[in-house]
Amino acid sequence: MANPHSPRVLMSTICMIILSTVTSFVMPTSPSPHKPFAKLRTPFISSKSINASHGTTHLSSSNAAADSSPHQTKTANFKYEGYDKPIVLIGASSSPEANELQRLALSLSGALAGNQSKKLQSTVEKLERSQGAGLLSEQEEDASNVSSMQNLAGISLSALGLDDDGPFVLDSSLIGDLVRERTLTLTSGVIVLDFNHPAFHSYDGYNAKEYEIDLVRALSSLAKQLYEDEGLLVVYVNVQPDDGGSMNQEAKDRKKLVEKEVLIPFSDYELCIKNEGQSTDSSAAASWSDMEWELQRIVARALLPPPVVGGTGPHSADLTMGLNTFFLSLSFPKVEDASPYVEEMCKDVDSMEYRVDLLSCSKDYLAQSTDNDDIASDARFEILHQQQRLRSLCRPYAKRAPALPFGGASIIDDALPIVYTVRTAHQAGTWPDDKEGVQKMFELLELGLRSGVEVLDVESAWDASLTDKLLAKAQKRYTSLILGSHHVVGSEVTPEEAVKLFRQCRMNNRAHGGKVVLSINDDKNNKDQMAYEASLAAAKLDTPVIPNIGLVLGEHGSYSRIINPRFTPVTHESLPVKAAPGQLTAAEIMAARLLTGQIPSERYAILGHNIAYSVSPQMQGGAFAAVKLPHTYTRADVEKVEEFVEGPIWNDDNFGGCSVTIPHKQNIIPHVDILTDSAKEIGSVNTVIVKKDKFGTRVLIGDNTDWKGIYNPLKRRLGDILNGKAKIQNTALILGGGGTARAAAYAATKLGLEKIYFNRTPEKAEELAREFGGIVAKNLDEDSNSEGALGATLKQSGSRISVVISTLPAAAEFQLPDWLLANDPLPVVFDVNYKPYSTSLLLQATEKGCDVVRGSEMLWEQGVGQFELWTGRTAPYGVMKKVVLENCLPPSS
């Protein structure tokens, strides 16, 4: 029987269970050798032309369905830490033609695999081999065409299928087995559970109504098992077309039936789609691209390390709520109303505040009744969808956005952070704070977590049990920063009471930042400084220290916004109204801080010799300009370090720090007061930071961010290798023996890689081995019987070269012996030189099909680290990357 709804895509093999037409999940007592109950189901696989038609193969198994019991998985305190399992998309597409879930799965799968067709092909082949020869039937079609398929764009593993024998649903226990044996990983395809799959639609010879109840039960059971038992990361794709959309009433009713009991409880994150996937015109294509981007952003957020209270580094509150950062409070009833102002607003702020209580659709959510929750469901959807719309409006102008690592070598650098706020009536907002209102406020705060917000504002004064439940869920499953807050409206408090409020906003050490906003009747006796002074006093009473934000409401409180150093809420001069009385623009605050000396114009430089080629002045200067800091960055080209140390920049009261490059990375060490651990272990300094002690005396700190410039790109590219339990030891081959080779050895150690060194001066290589561990290769020959040859070293240590890091000069025109680039998998090849853009080594590695890392990436990665150490705030990652590439790419590129 022909199936007109069958997806026209290439098939490979995954185990499935056929549904009985009479009962759901009837398991046979013994499988038939002629017509087996258990089937090997093939995943949808997309090529660049995803409408190409291909065949299907069916494989038999004697025991694939024998054990359907769920497997318990041991989870860490934070559920998704070190996650390397497949992503699951659950929901109901608007129609088989629009097929939103599968299209998103293909896009996400390709992005997670770094859009590498060869890697996707290898995944397909591994999926085929995973069942074993004993599972293959004699009638199986030859699947060799899978191996020869070119330009794969992604792999979608559908949990529900339909063929001549009827519908069938994936076996969760088999998925668990494949996950544990690492056949299914984060990059091996995305699983789809679509409650509006073609199997739910009748056609000539097939009556879907006979199967609908059983299909819903089976998919619901599978969703529960994948989420609870297998611990998979599940995203609910909430498709709700506007009136006139293609979703029929039966599909809407089916979705409504399972939304509260299945789709929401068995997922952690949620993506909302209206009509974005139903049209092919250019505007709809751009909207669909926004949906694909938003899903990638959600997954990237979900897979971040859990935020640590008092922590530092990327995505910490220390940087997100850093010095001289601002968030803009939007007060529009509809996000679309802000679109004329977004471009100008994004130039001045680091985050957008999404005020849910001010949205017109939130009033519908508030008006829901237990008898009819259709309005509430629509309002809930609209609240999430409008937040997504805000992100898409900001994307083209998000120059100040931080880096968000995603899949392989990818970085999302256009996701401007959002502060998600539901402000209650007695705390300077509009949301009702009676018992029912508070209950619904916490529902909406949980909705903020599900959207993957960067900062969740949680008022600290409400029901302890609801607060505990929300924060426990945030700690267990989400990476959002919690900003504990309290507003005092209409009355004054004492300084002691203000300090207590800051301590209350720590929320028993579960908040990553605290925000207290006070009221004063006048600005006499420096009352407008009370919140700031209370924030400083409170910071001395508790550990760990978290960012505190202290403000005063109203016109009397304008000065409090100037002296508050971190994450200040602002308005913008282009907006028709302010979100709150007394708010200033970021430009006004920065100008006032300059005039009062709160922000001095600091001097920075790159210290080295023969450094006319250096791109650092353009990169760091561009970053300072992007965030409106009044600092300068110049070259200090001197033959001896003493010339700089005795010169005007180093001795200027406004000296902020410097980058250090060859030949001064070791010579600068005697001139700093403190060395960080990384600088000590590496034995060189590439960054000098200036701080003040409690007496106002200047303290010079020597640090090293070179290793981060190596570590960050490699960690992104080696995700699969680093997360897996390798049967063979993964090793970095480090070429060279200078200061950068030391940073490379330090980075390799941090990555958990073994190290083999090769240098034309063996003594330097031996020194590296003594200090960082590892083995020295006398030559790079393949001969496994020649003592000291790389081939012999690999054989003796039972290891393989996963990474090659060359710190050799580009002028050496070094290339690897061919045998090192003939293995599977190929190593990642890293050349620290950023000029020329493509060295001889990188040209060779690219031709052989290796994943490569250029010195230009190392340059902006270590530069981002320097910027954040100097400024105490997030770096504008996209700006710094763009400047480096503009100065490093050859003219023809």
Side-chain angles (χ1 to χ4, degrees):
M1 135 179 110
N3 175 12
H5 296 295
S6 180
R8 302 177 62 195
V9 289
L10 183 65
M11 303 290 203
S12 180
T13 58
I14 294 289
C15 215
M16 299 285 182
I17 296 179
I18 299 178
L19 281 171
S20 164
T21 60
V22 180
T23 62
S24 64
F25 274 101
V26 175
M27 304 301 293
T29 57
S30 61
S32 164
H34 302 293
K35 197 169 183 64
F37 183 85
K39 306 181 83 174
L40 290 175
R41 169 68 171 120
T42 64
F44 304 131
I45 302 175
S46 165
S47 68
K48 294 297 183 184
S49 176
I50 61 174
N51 292 321
S53 180
H54 300 279
T56 305
T57 58
H58 293 288
L59 309 178
S60 64
S61 167
S62 61
N63 60 1
D67 179 15
S68 62
S69 61
H71 293 264
Q72 295 296 328
T73 57
K74 183 179 179 181
T75 57
N77 183 48
F78 178 70
K79 184 173 181 181
Y80 301 117
E81 189 165 16
Y83 187 88
D84 192 27
K85 302 175 185 179
I87 305 294
V88 180
L89 302 186
I90 186 172
S93 293
S94 60
S95 68
E97 292 75 26
N99 205 9
E100 288 94 343
L101 269 73
Q102 185 189 333
R103 290 163 60 198
L104 284 171
L106 294 171
S107 169
L108 178 62
S109 168
L112 287 168
N115 295 309
Q116 297 181 39
S117 297
K118 187 173 181 179
K119 187 172 185 178
L120 291 166
Q121 276 184 263
S122 175
T123 297
V124 172
E125 294 165 5
K126 186 175 181 181
L127 289 172
E128 288 196 327
R129 292 194 303 268
S130 68
Q131 308 304 322
L135 297 177
L136 302 179
S137 68
E138 294 180 359
Q139 293 77 24
E140 181 198 4
E141 296 180 19
D142 178 30
S144 61
N145 58 340
V146 173
S147 300
S148 62
M149 186 176 182
Q150 302 296 317
N151 299 321
L152 292 180
I155 304 173
S156 170
L157 309 173
S158 178
L160 170 59
L162 178 64
D163 63 11
D164 292 349
D165 294 325
F168 46 89
V169 172
L170 206 85
D171 178 7
S172 67
S173 63
L174 182 72
I175 293 180
D177 290 340
L178 294 175
V179 169
R180 282 178 282 280
E181 69 187 30
R182 294 188 55 75
T183 299
L184 290 180
T185 67
L186 183 63
T187 60
S188 63
V190 174
I191 299 172
V192 175
L193 280 67
D194 192 342
F195 282 81
N196 200 23
H197 183 276
F200 287 101
H201 296 258
S202 299
Y203 56 90
D204 186 25
Y206 172 68
N207 183 6
K209 282 294 182 184
E210 294 181 24
Y211 299 91
E212 182 171 14
I213 294 176
D214 290 335
L215 286 174
V216 169
R217 288 175 177 168
L219 280 179
S220 299
S221 176
L222 179 60
K224 182 177 187 294
Q225 291 168 333
L226 294 182
Y227 180 73
E228 292 186 345
D229 300 331
E230 301 301 339
L232 301 192
L233 174 58
V234 183
V235 180
Y236 170 27
V237 180
N238 188 348
V239 182
Q240 187 171 312
D242 286 335
D243 292 340
S246 64
M247 198 173 202
N248 63 34
Q249 191 59 47
E250 288 184 355
K252 292 178 181 178
D253 292 342
R254 190 182 312 118
K255 177 192 166 191
K256 180 181 178 182
L257 177 70
V258 297
E259 184 172 56
K260 282 191 173 182
E261 301 300 324
V262 179
L263 301 179
I264 294 174
F266 302 139
S267 63
D268 279 324
Y269 291 89
E270 190 164 343
L271 171 71
C272 291
I273 297 177
K274 288 188 177 179
N275 299 331
E276 291 90 349
Q278 299 187 31
S279 179
T280 57
D281 60 39
S282 58
S283 61
S287 297
W288 180 252
S289 176
D290 285 336
M291 296 298 101
E292 293 176 326
W293 177 89
E294 176 64 11
L295 178 58
Q296 292 177 23
R297 187 202 65 82
I298 287 172
V299 170
R301 289 287 317 174
L303 299 183
L304 285 173
V308 177
V309 174
T312 59
H315 304 284
S316 66
D318 183 59
L319 290 177
T320 303
M321 306 176 195
L323 298 175
N324 299 301
T325 56
F326 303 95
F327 66 90
L328 194 142
S329 304
L330 292 177
S331 56
F332 296 100
K334 293 182 179 179
V335 163
E336 203 65 41
D337 297 341
S339 58
Y341 316 105
V342 168
E343 181 176 2
E344 291 302 314
M345 292 189 301
C346 285
K347 292 178 182 179
D348 290 342
V349 299
D350 304 282
S351 303
M352 290 286 182
E353 185 179 30
Y354 185 60
R355 282 287 301 271
V356 178
D357 59 300
L358 298 179
L359 297 173
S360 56
C361 57
S362 70
K363 308 300 185 289
D364 295 331
Y365 187 86
L366 194 62
Q368 74 177 16
S369 68
T370 54
D371 297 329
N372 185 355
D373 59 3
D374 287 346
I375 293 177
S377 178
D378 291 344
R380 179 184 181 281
F381 176 94
E382 193 64 29
I383 289 167
L384 285 174
H385 193 269
Q386 286 207 38
Q387 185 193 151
Q388 293 171 195
R389 178 57 180 155
L390 176 59
R391 290 190 187 277
S392 66
L393 288 173
C394 292
R395 273 186 70 195
Y397 316 111
K399 292 184 177 180
R400 296 167 71 140
L404 178 59
F406 172 79
S410 302
I411 287 285
I412 296 174
D413 60 12
D414 53 358
L416 197 70
I418 283 181
V419 181
Y420 183 100
T421 302
V422 186
R423 186 69 66 224
T424 57
H426 283 83
Q427 301 239 343
T430 64
W431 194 260
D433 48 17
D434 56 12
K435 184 176 181 180
E436 183 182 4
V438 170
Q439 173 69 47
K440 291 183 177 180
M441 176 189 71
F442 276 95
E443 292 173 7
L444 291 180
L445 290 174
E446 187 171 331
L447 195 61
L449 291 175
R450 288 179 61 83
S451 70
V453 294
E454 289 78 5
V455 180
L456 187 74
D457 185 309
V458 180
E459 293 180 357
S460 62
W462 302 117
D463 185 275
S465 62
L466 292 175
T467 302
D468 287 344
K469 181 182 176 182
L470 177 73
L471 297 184
K473 179 170 283 192
Q475 285 181 315
K476 179 73 174 178
R477 297 181 179 274
Y478 297 97
T479 62
S480 299
L481 297 170
I482 303 299
L483 178 61
S485 69
H486 189 86
H487 290 60
V488 179
V489 181
S491 62
E492 291 189 357
V493 298
T494 66
E496 292 76 17
E497 290 171 327
V499 170
K500 288 181 180 179
L501 289 174
F502 272 108
R503 302 187 76 185
Q504 173 183 302
C505 288
R506 293 179 65 91
M507 307 182 90
N508 295 321
N509 274 356
R510 291 175 295 180
H512 304 94
K515 176 186 173 188
V516 172
V517 183
L518 304 178
S519 293
I520 57 175
N521 298 323
D522 55 63
D523 55 5
K524 296 176 182 178
N525 301 317
N526 297 325
K527 288 182 183 178
D528 52 2
Q529 300 179 39
M530 188 198 313
Y532 171 65
E533 291 170 352
S535 73
L536 297 179
K540 298 176 182 178
L541 299 176
D542 296 293
T543 58
V545 175
I546 63 173
N548 277 337
I549 302 158
L551 305 171
V552 175
L553 287 170
E555 299 298 338
H556 292 312
S558 293
Y559 183 61
S560 72
R561 300 171 188 273
I562 295 171
I563 61 175
N564 173 67
R566 291 176 175 270
F567 214 46
T568 307
V570 295
T571 184
H572 195 272
E573 52 267 26
S574 65
L575 291 174
V577 294
K578 297 179 179 180
Q583 276 194 343
L584 303 174
T585 68
E588 289 172 329
I589 292 174
M590 290 297 285
R593 288 177 182 175
L594 273 170
L595 286 172
T596 59
Q598 191 173 337
I599 303 178
S601 180
E602 296 175 341
R603 300 180 68 180
Y604 294 85
I606 179 169
L607 169 63
H609 188 45
N610 295 326
I611 53 172
Y613 67 89
S614 175
V615 179
S616 291
Q618 297 95 310
M619 175 180 66
Q620 299 292 1
F624 289 143
V627 300
K628 307 296 177 71
L629 286 172
H631 306 327
T632 60
Y633 189 103
T634 59
R635 290 180 179 84
D637 193 329
V638 295
E639 188 173 350
K640 294 183 178 181
V641 165
E642 289 71 20
E643 297 177 57
F644 180 67
V645 171
E646 296 169 4
I649 297 177
W650 182 274
N651 293 288
D652 193 317
D653 288 341
N654 288 334
F655 174 56
C658 63
S659 310
V660 187
T661 189
I662 53 173
H664 300 319
K665 290 186 179 183
Q666 286 80 37
N667 297 335
I668 194 65
I669 291 177
H671 302 282
V672 300
D673 302 307
I674 298 172
L675 287 178
T676 63
D677 290 342
S678 60
K680 287 178 184 176
E681 292 192 42
I682 295 170
S684 68
V685 166
N686 84 321
T687 310
V688 175
I689 309 139
V690 179
K691 298 289 186 184
K692 296 286 181 68
D693 64 16
K694 61 182 180 180
F695 303 109
T697 304
R698 187 172 82 165
V699 179
L700 300 170
I701 302 169
D703 204 343
N704 190 300
T705 64
D706 279 336
W707 75 272
K708 292 182 180 178
I710 298 170
Y711 174 93
N712 291 345
L714 288 179
K715 184 172 175 60
R716 291 194 288 268
R717 288 165 172 84
L718 296 174
D720 287 352
I721 292 174
L722 299 176
N723 291 331
K725 296 179 180 178
K727 297 178 180 178
I728 190 168
Q729 180 62 54
N730 295 294
T731 302
L733 173 62
I734 299 173
L735 307 172
T740 309
R742 298 177 66 86
Y746 185 83
T749 302
K750 290 287 188 181
L751 289 166
L753 300 171
E754 289 299 314
K755 298 164 287 292
I756 296 177
Y757 309 96
F758 174 72
N759 189 54
R760 63 184 180 182
T761 306
E763 291 78 12
K764 288 188 176 182
E766 290 166 359
E767 181 182 345
L768 288 171
R770 282 194 302 273
E771 295 194 29
F772 295 98
I775 305 170
V776 175
K778 294 180 180 179
N779 58 64
L780 300 181
D781 294 345
E782 184 180 8
D783 187 355
S784 60
N785 296 316
S786 176
E787 184 179 355
L790 179 58
T793 302
L794 292 174
K795 182 179 180 181
Q796 291 167 8
S797 61
S799 58
R800 69 180 176 195
I801 301 299
S802 302
V803 180
V804 177
I805 307 173
S806 174
T807 68
L808 302 172
E813 298 190 346
F814 172 85
Q815 290 194 335
L816 291 164
D818 288 339
W819 71 272
L820 271 175
L821 301 181
N823 298 318
D824 185 21
L826 291 167
V828 176
V829 177
F830 194 137
D831 194 322
V832 302
N833 295 285
Y834 65 86
K835 288 188 177 181
Y837 184 71
S838 293
T839 61
S840 295
L841 174 61
L842 292 178
L843 290 171
Q844 177 199 24
T846 302
E847 183 180 348
K848 297 292 186 180
C850 297
D851 194 358
V852 301
V853 185
R854 290 177 164 81
S856 52
E857 186 170 352
M858 177 184 174
L859 176 60
W860 73 66
E861 285 285 348
Q862 63 83 31
V864 164
Q866 290 179 328
F867 180 93
E868 292 178 346
L869 288 170
W870 290 329
T871 64
R873 52 152 297 135
T874 51
Y877 187 92
V879 169
M880 299 177 79
K881 175 182 175 180
K882 182 174 182 286
V883 170
V884 169
L885 290 177
E886 286 174 348
N887 285 272
C888 291
L889 283 169
S892 58
S893 297

